[in-house]
Structure formats: structure tokens, C-alpha cells
Amino acid sequence: MLVKTDVCIVGSGPGGALLAYLLAKQDISVVLLERHSEVAREFRGEFLNEEGEDILNKHGLFESVEKLGLLRMDQLEYWHEARLFKRIVPKWPVDHVGIHVPQNHLLTAILAEAKKLDCFRLMLNARVTDLIRNETGRFTGVKVRKDGKDMIVESSLIIGADGRFSTVRKKAEIRAVIKNHGYDLLWAKIPAPKGWQPSIKMALVNDSQVALFTQAGGSIQIGWNIENGSFPQLRKQPFRPFIEKLLLAFPELINSANENIQSWKDFILLAVHSSHCETWTKDGVALLGDAAHTMTPTGAFGLNCAMKDADLLADLIKECIMHEDTEFLGLKIAEPKRRAEIERLQAIQVDKEISFASQFVAYV
């Protein structure tokens, strides 16, 4: 089976889905490939900052997302030994310190608009197995395994929006430089106690960072930093002493945590690293989001950076097509400016990680 399109996007996360919609809206044909059979996902980047909110508003999507459900955070708090140490509140005209948006709601809203367009095609359960090159060395398509059958998607441009372990990046032989940040992250989700206010709460527990993110739907997502690579050894130890440290920091979570976190199996491990690539464009391939520049969870920049990439790429791709730039050299020309912004944000992440304990200087 052969499918031809202007742009083939691999990966239907927020960045890939948004780019597909923006291109299709400009009458550029696009095929969006997603290896999973559905778009619903958990424990992914789900926090919008002001920039992410602005992009959704710019393209008329925020209201649709809000109807499906989101939650504005009223404040950012720092806690120590069950005491509030510092509180940060929004500064006018912004009315939040972050917005929790379930990724399923975000993707549903974007794809619902995209599906209204004749130039858009979504293929689920479609896993890319290889890239196709022509005689000049340019990538001209992808090989796909869909529903147990092989197919080919030919396109003028291939977009790798397939995350930190990007198949497109590997097959295009674009080198990614990995940076270890010295920690991994354990995620868990519990129901919020009655009266819990929408907020982000940070604590220093036995010299480790613990973050609580209130979520739409009445849950709290707990992120607990642990030493890089330590989880296999940690899970051999008794579980109760570990969770009791959390309950000493936030006693109001005792009932909910005890009922919903009863073993190491109730945590999900995220191996934390950041990365940067030697290039984001190569011979008919372009990368966005984590495929191009993996971010750590610190500051919740990842989702917003992916959408910013999509917003920028949509304009650049349109310009290339309008000016008959069949090699899409305009993408390469525009890369340094966006790269500088990503490098700035990654430096901020490192600084926040190094300086986290200083937020509690009165106690340490």
C-alpha cells in the first residue's frame, strides 16, 4: 500500500498533532502516524505555561480544551516539615502559575479540529520501521507497519515528533547528545483530599525534591526525585519508610496515600535526561519537541516547547512551499534562533535543579 502526502508527521503527541492541524488548515496535505491504537496517555507532560496557553489561544483551540477540562493552579508553594515556607501567586494579567491539561483532552481538542479538514489524515496503530532515501540521499518517505500490514508513506518532508527515543532521529542518523542530570523521577497519582486547593507544592524531603501537582478531575500527581539509576535497589527495601517521609511532609495526604500507594508497583519510573541534537533538519527530515531537544520535568517546559516548535514549523513549512523551496532549506536557516531559546531553557532547568535546596535556606 502506498500513500502520498506533502508532509508526513511521525508521532501524535501535542507537538505532532498541533503541527498536523496547522499545516492542514493551510491546505498542505499531511499524514499523521501514531504507533499506539489511541491517543489517551497518562504521566506525560501535562502542564501549560503562559506561552503554551497563548499558542492555543492564537489558533482558536484553548476554548475547546477548556470545555473538555483543565485546571488553573492558584499558587506555587514551598513546604518544609508540614509548614508553608513560601508562596508564589500569579501576577496580573496572568491568572495562574500553570494549567493542568490532561493530555487526552488536549489531543482530543486538536485532532477534532484537524479531522474536519480534507488535507488531514490520521493513521493509528502505525509504527515506522524505516526511512526511505532516493538516489541523491534525500529522505522521501517512511516504511510503516500498520495493523499487521506493511505500507509506505511518501512525502516531501518527514517530521520526527516521536519523542525522546525518536525512531525518525535514529533512522536519519542524527546524533543526540544525552545529558544525565543525576536523578530519576517516581510518579504516583492519588485522589486529592477534600478542600485541597489547586496548587503546585514543593518540598525537600530527606534532601530530595518532592512535587505535588493538583490535576483536573480531583487528583494529585506526586513527583519524587530519586538518585539516577537507584530504583532497582530502592525497591528491594521496605516500602513503608519511604512513603512515610511524604506523609510527614504533607500529613493531610495520609488517608489518600495509604489507600492508593501501597507498594513500589504504584509508582511509575521516569528515567530523567535532557538532550540536544547536532541538527534538527537533515535531507528532508525535521525534528520537533523531545525528538530534537529532550527536556527534563523541571519547570514543565517540555509540552510548551513542543507546541512552540509546531507553531514555528507550520509557518516555516508554508513559506518554503510558497517559495518553491523544495529542499526546505528555510528550516535550516531558522534553526539557530529556536536552538538558542531551547539552550536558554535547558540552562534554566539545570539552575533550578542545582538551586532547589536554596528555596529552603531558612531550614538547612
Side-chain angles (χ1 to χ4, degrees):
M1 180 178 176
L2 175 64
V3 175
K4 295 185 178 183
T5 187
D6 292 329
V7 180
C8 175
I9 300 176
V10 182
S12 183
L18 179 60
L19 178 58
Y21 167 60
L22 297 180
L23 293 177
K25 195 164 66 168
Q26 299 179 93
D27 296 323
I28 298 171
S29 65
V30 57
V31 170
L32 178 61
L33 302 175
E34 171 54 49
R35 65 187 180 93
H36 294 96
S37 59
E38 56 183 14
V39 298
R41 304 172 192 177
E42 290 190 358
F43 293 104
R44 304 299 179 101
E46 294 187 332
F47 270 82
L48 286 177
N49 60 23
E50 188 178 353
E51 283 192 330
E53 180 186 12
D54 287 345
I55 288 172
L56 292 178
N57 275 315
K58 172 183 175 181
H59 299 295
L61 294 165
F62 187 82
E63 185 176 342
S64 297
V65 177
E66 188 166 26
K67 287 179 179 178
L68 292 172
L70 53 76
L71 184 66
R72 293 173 175 82
M73 301 297 106
D74 293 335
Q75 53 198 359
L76 167 62
E77 303 171 352
Y78 290 88
W79 287 75
H80 187 75
E81 296 181 350
R83 295 170 55 194
L84 177 62
F85 173 51
K86 180 168 58 177
R87 176 187 289 116
I88 298 173
V89 298
K91 294 182 179 180
W92 188 90
V94 181
D95 62 351
H96 59 81
V97 295
I99 303 176
H100 175 248
V101 179
Q103 189 165 118
N104 186 34
H105 293 181
L106 180 59
L107 292 176
T108 296
I110 296 172
L111 294 175
E113 293 302 312
K115 289 174 182 177
K116 298 175 183 178
L117 304 171
D118 292 337
C119 288
F120 173 80
R121 183 173 180 181
L122 172 65
M123 293 186 181
L124 297 174
N125 200 29
R127 179 174 60 89
V128 170
T129 59
D130 207 350
L131 305 187
I132 300 171
R133 267 182 158 153
N134 65 14
E135 63 279 1
T136 69
R138 184 173 179 80
F139 295 102
T140 58
V142 297
K143 295 181 179 179
V144 180
R145 186 73 174 170
K146 175 173 168 53
D147 299 325
K149 298 180 180 179
D150 293 325
M151 62 179 295
I152 289 175
V153 178
E154 289 185 353
S155 62
S156 300
L157 181 65
I158 302 164
I159 302 290
D162 48 342
R164 51 161 54 188
F165 303 113
S166 171
T167 296
V168 172
R169 184 183 68 218
K170 293 174 184 175
K171 295 296 184 179
E173 298 179 344
I174 298 174
R175 189 171 69 97
V177 178
I178 306 298
K179 176 181 175 61
N180 188 315
H181 288 244
Y183 73 97
D184 293 331
L185 196 61
L186 290 180
W187 287 116
K189 183 183 289 189
I190 63 175
K194 185 177 181 180
W196 186 272
Q197 295 300 309
S199 61
I200 303 169
K201 301 182 190 293
M202 300 288 188
L204 193 62
V205 179
N206 276 24
D207 297 324
S208 295
Q209 178 177 334
V210 174
L212 308 181
F213 299 93
T214 313
Q215 296 191 311
S219 297
I220 297 171
Q221 188 168 345
I222 303 169
W224 195 316
N225 289 16
I226 61 173
E227 185 179 350
N228 175 246
S230 67
F231 190 52
Q233 187 62 36
L234 184 63
R235 66 185 306 167
K236 294 178 183 178
Q237 302 174 15
F239 172 74
R240 289 310 311 173
F242 183 83
I243 199 67
E244 283 170 3
K245 295 172 184 177
L246 171 70
L247 303 182
L248 286 173
F250 297 100
E252 60 268 53
L253 298 182
I254 289 176
N255 291 336
S256 185
N258 284 337
E259 290 174 4
N260 295 277
I261 309 178
Q262 299 181 352
S263 75
W264 293 115
K265 294 180 181 179
D266 293 316
F267 282 102
I268 292 178
L269 175 68
L270 173 66
V272 173
H273 71 256
S274 64
S275 72
H276 67 273
C277 294
E278 56 189 1
T279 182
W280 297 349
T281 61
K282 178 183 177 181
D283 301 331
V285 166
L287 305 176
L288 70 77
D290 277 356
H293 45 73
T294 302
M295 313 296 282
T296 74
T298 301
F301 292 126
L303 165 62
N304 303 280
C305 288
M307 293 201 302
K308 195 166 183 178
D309 283 350
D311 185 46
L312 176 62
L313 278 172
D315 290 338
L316 292 174
I317 292 169
K318 177 67 172 179
E319 288 180 12
C320 288
I321 291 175
M322 287 178 58
H323 293 92
E324 299 183 350
D325 175 11
T326 58
E327 298 294 311
F328 290 92
L329 299 177
L331 305 187
K332 176 71 74 175
I333 294 171
E335 183 178 314
K337 182 177 180 180
R338 184 67 185 128
R339 181 182 293 276
E341 171 67 6
I342 291 298
E343 289 174 351
R344 182 184 71 84
L345 293 176
Q346 289 183 329
I348 289 174
Q349 290 189 310
V350 171
D351 181 67
K352 285 179 175 290
E353 291 161 1
I354 293 173
S355 64
F356 181 76
S358 69
Q359 301 293 337
F360 307 88
V361 67
Y363 297 101
V364 298

